[in-house]
């Protein structure tokens, strides 16, 4: 065969070669760009190692979504279940708590944000937050629920006494909260924002059934000039109890007895951070999400027998739901950590002249985030 013919044959073979005809697209080398700050956020939320957090954020069907990444880590057994709601704001939360035996049970909560954390230790800033809380409680007692910030800014400041007007506010007359806010911003030289304001009013009762609002503040700050009814800190819980008597009326002594217990329950709420009051309030999509996570864990575990998967998943979902519902949680502020609902039942039984003590609602605030859960089945009668 001549060289010319050989070359022609080689070209023909090459053209019909399977490797020639099969056009394999090049694998994409592009990856999802993950910012280091997002990896750190996921690590703070999950407690998982940095490299695992990065791997989770870059995983298939996650695409940098921090909530999906948390589910991915949980399904792999790398992270425990935690709330992905992140707290990043600085500043203070204030709560005005009513006296336990007062006929009017209205608590006021305010959150004021600052740019840096050390501002919370500034006495002028603390005084401003306390005056703001006192102003709302005194000027808008009939409003229940969230109050608009523009409405609050128009209010004239209400001090508890003349001697409390100290620091940068001494000798000054502020026509509105807005004027007072401008004064503190000019003094501290930071952007100060009133983020949210809310009044919590207990549900109406009767002589035989009274409501009680009690609170707890974590990370407490403040000084002697602030009255004891106003507490300042980084997170707070307000819990509403319904107290029913076996007699014609609930006595003040019974209310004071319940108030000590209610404060411990508010302390538990701050620590345990329940997301719902009862199991019946948990949305279906939350249960489905938890079921999917635990099912993947069970299927990935080679030691799990296929016939046991459903039973294992059901047990884990039940345990998880109990961890996020207040009445199903273990009471961390009481001895031996009893289940909250059983503890309340035992408390009622051991208290003289009381037939029932239950939780109507609770409010949980942390700087930068909020949780509020109410019992939709609450009524004026108790079985």
């Amino acid at each position: 065969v001549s060289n010319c013919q050989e070359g022609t044959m080689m070209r023909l073979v090459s053209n019909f070669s399977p490797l020639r005809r099969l056009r394999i697209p090049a694998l994409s080398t592009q990856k999802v760009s993950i910012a280091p700050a997002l990896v750190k956020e996921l690590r703070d939320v999950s407690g998982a190692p940095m490299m695992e957090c990065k791997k989770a954020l870059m995983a298939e069907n996650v695409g940098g979504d921090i909530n999906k990444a948390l589910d991915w880590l949980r399904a792999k057994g790398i992270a425990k279940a935690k709330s992905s709601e992140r707290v990043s704001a600085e500043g203070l939360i204030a709560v005005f708590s009513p006296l336990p035996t007062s006929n009017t049970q209205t608590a006021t909560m305010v959150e004021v944000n600052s740019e840096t954390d050390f501002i919370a230790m500034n006495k002028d800033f603390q005084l401003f937050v306390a005056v703001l809380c006192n102003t709302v409680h005194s000027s808008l007692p009939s409003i229940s629920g969230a109050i608009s910030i523009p409405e609050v800014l128009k209010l004239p400041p209400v001090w508890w006494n003349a001697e409390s007007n100290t620091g940068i506010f001494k000798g000054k007359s502020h026509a509105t909260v807005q004027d007072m806010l401008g004064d503190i911003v000019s003094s501290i030289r930071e952007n100060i924002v009133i983020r949210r304001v809310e009044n919590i009013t207990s549900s109406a009762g009767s002589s035989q059934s009274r409501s009680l609002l009690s609170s707890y503040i974590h990370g407490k700050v403040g000084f002697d000039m602030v009255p004891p009814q106003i507490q300042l800190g980084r997170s707070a819980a307000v819990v509403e109890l319904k107290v029913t008597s076996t007699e014609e009326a609930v006595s003040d002594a019974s209310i004071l007895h319940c108030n000590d217990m209610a404060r411990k329950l508010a302390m538990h709420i701050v620590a345990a951070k329940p997301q719902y009051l009862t199991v019946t309030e948990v949305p279906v999509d939350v249960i489905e999400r938890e079921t999917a996570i635990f099912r993947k864990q069970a299927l990935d575990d080679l030691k799990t027998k296929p016939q046991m998967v459903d039973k294992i998943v059901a047990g884990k979902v039940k345990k998880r739901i109990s961890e996020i519902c207040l009445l199903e949680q273990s009471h961390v502020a009481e001895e031996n950590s009893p289940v909250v609902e059983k503890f309340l039942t035992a408390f009622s039984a051991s208290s003289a002249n009381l037939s029932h003590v239950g939780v109507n609602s609770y409010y949980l605030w942390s700087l930068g985030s909020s949780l509020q859960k109410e019992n939709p089945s609450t009524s004026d009668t108790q079985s």
Side-chain angles (χ1 to χ4, degrees):
V1 181
S2 66
N3 291 338
C4 181
Q5 289 175 325
E6 185 178 358
T8 302
M9 291 177 65
M10 289 297 294
R11 284 195 297 273
L12 288 172
V13 172
S14 177
N15 287 337
F16 287 97
S17 168
L19 294 177
R20 177 84 174 185
R21 286 184 282 112
L22 184 60
R23 297 183 178 274
I24 303 175
L27 294 176
S28 173
T29 58
Q30 293 183 348
K31 295 182 179 180
V32 179
S33 178
I34 303 298
L38 189 60
V39 178
K40 184 179 183 302
E41 279 189 45
L42 181 57
R43 184 186 185 281
D44 292 341
V45 170
S46 65
M50 292 288 281
M51 289 306 296
E52 295 295 338
C53 290
K54 185 175 182 180
K55 188 186 299 181
L57 289 163
M58 297 178 68
E60 187 179 0
N61 299 325
V62 173
D65 186 296
I66 196 166
N67 291 308
K68 291 181 180 178
L70 182 58
D71 287 350
W72 188 92
L73 289 169
R74 288 183 57 202
K76 297 292 184 181
I78 300 172
K80 294 183 178 180
K82 295 183 181 181
S83 171
S84 59
E85 185 172 10
R86 298 170 300 284
V87 178
S88 57
E90 303 297 344
L92 284 174
I93 290 172
V95 178
F96 189 114
S97 299
L99 295 174
T101 55
S102 172
N103 291 328
T104 303
Q105 288 288 297
T106 299
T108 300
M109 302 181 78
V110 303
E111 178 181 347
V112 182
N113 294 147
S114 60
E115 294 179 41
T116 57
D117 57 351
F118 67 85
I119 292 301
M121 304 307 296
N122 182 290
K123 289 188 176 183
D124 291 327
F125 180 72
Q126 294 174 5
L127 197 57
F128 169 72
V129 177
V131 171
L132 173 65
C133 192
N134 189 66
T135 298
V136 174
H137 188 83
S138 302
S139 303
L140 303 173
S142 61
I143 298 180
S144 181
I147 303 172
S148 70
I149 304 304
E151 185 175 2
V152 171
L153 292 172
K154 295 176 183 177
L155 296 173
V158 178
W159 295 80
W160 38 92
N161 57 51
E163 292 74 22
S164 58
N165 193 333
T166 61
I168 64 169
F169 308 114
K170 188 174 183 178
K172 297 179 182 179
S173 178
H174 300 95
T176 63
V177 170
Q178 177 76 71
D179 295 337
M180 196 175 180
L181 176 61
D183 211 2
I184 190 71
V185 169
S186 299
S187 173
I188 294 179
R189 298 185 180 277
E190 275 199 14
N191 187 29
I192 307 296
V193 178
I194 301 174
R195 181 171 180 262
R196 50 183 167 163
V197 178
E198 187 159 357
N199 273 344
I200 302 165
T201 304
S202 64
S203 54
S206 62
S207 59
Q208 195 176 8
S209 181
R210 290 170 62 177
S211 292
L212 167 68
L213 291 174
S214 191
S215 64
Y216 173 76
I217 298 286
H218 183 68
K220 191 182 298 184
V221 299
F223 55 107
D224 294 342
M225 195 62 69
V226 178
Q229 277 187 275
I230 301 176
Q231 301 287 313
L232 309 172
R234 292 188 59 84
S235 56
V238 175
V239 61
E240 180 192 5
L241 294 187
K242 187 170 185 178
V243 183
T244 305
S245 177
T246 56
E247 300 182 340
E248 293 183 359
V250 180
S251 66
D252 285 351
S254 294
I255 289 295
L256 292 174
H257 174 60
C258 290
N259 186 59
D260 293 335
M261 180 272 288
R263 185 178 179 278
K264 281 190 174 182
L265 184 56
M267 186 187 301
H268 162 85
I269 291 170
V270 170
K273 296 178 175 55
Q275 299 174 31
Y276 307 95
L277 181 58
T278 65
V279 172
T280 56
E281 293 180 12
V282 182
V284 174
D285 62 321
V286 173
I287 297 175
E288 290 176 345
R289 176 188 172 193
E290 296 298 326
T291 301
I293 290 171
F294 290 124
R295 182 171 294 281
K296 182 165 179 30
Q297 283 184 6
L299 293 174
D300 288 348
D301 187 354
L302 299 177
K303 296 179 182 179
T304 303
K305 297 179 180 179
Q307 64 270 25
M308 295 296 295
V309 169
D310 288 342
K311 185 176 181 180
I312 291 172
V313 171
K316 287 189 174 183
V317 170
K318 182 179 179 181
K319 182 176 183 294
R320 172 58 182 156
I321 296 304
S322 71
E323 292 172 348
I324 60 177
C325 295
L326 175 60
L327 295 183
E328 301 297 321
Q329 290 179 329
S330 297
H331 199 322
V332 298
E334 291 291 346
E335 189 176 357
N336 298 325
S337 300
V339 174
V340 172
E341 187 168 31
K342 292 181 179 179
F343 168 79
L344 291 173
T345 301
F347 180 87
S348 304
S350 63
S351 301
N353 306 323
L354 293 182
S355 61
H356 180 84
V357 178
V359 180
N360 267 11
S361 62
Y362 75 88
Y363 292 72
L364 172 60
W365 280 24
S366 297
L367 285 172
S369 63
S370 66
L371 289 171
Q372 171 195 341
K373 300 295 165 192
E374 297 184 1
N375 187 348
S377 62
T378 296
S379 64
D380 290 334
T381 60
Q382 291 287 346
S383 57

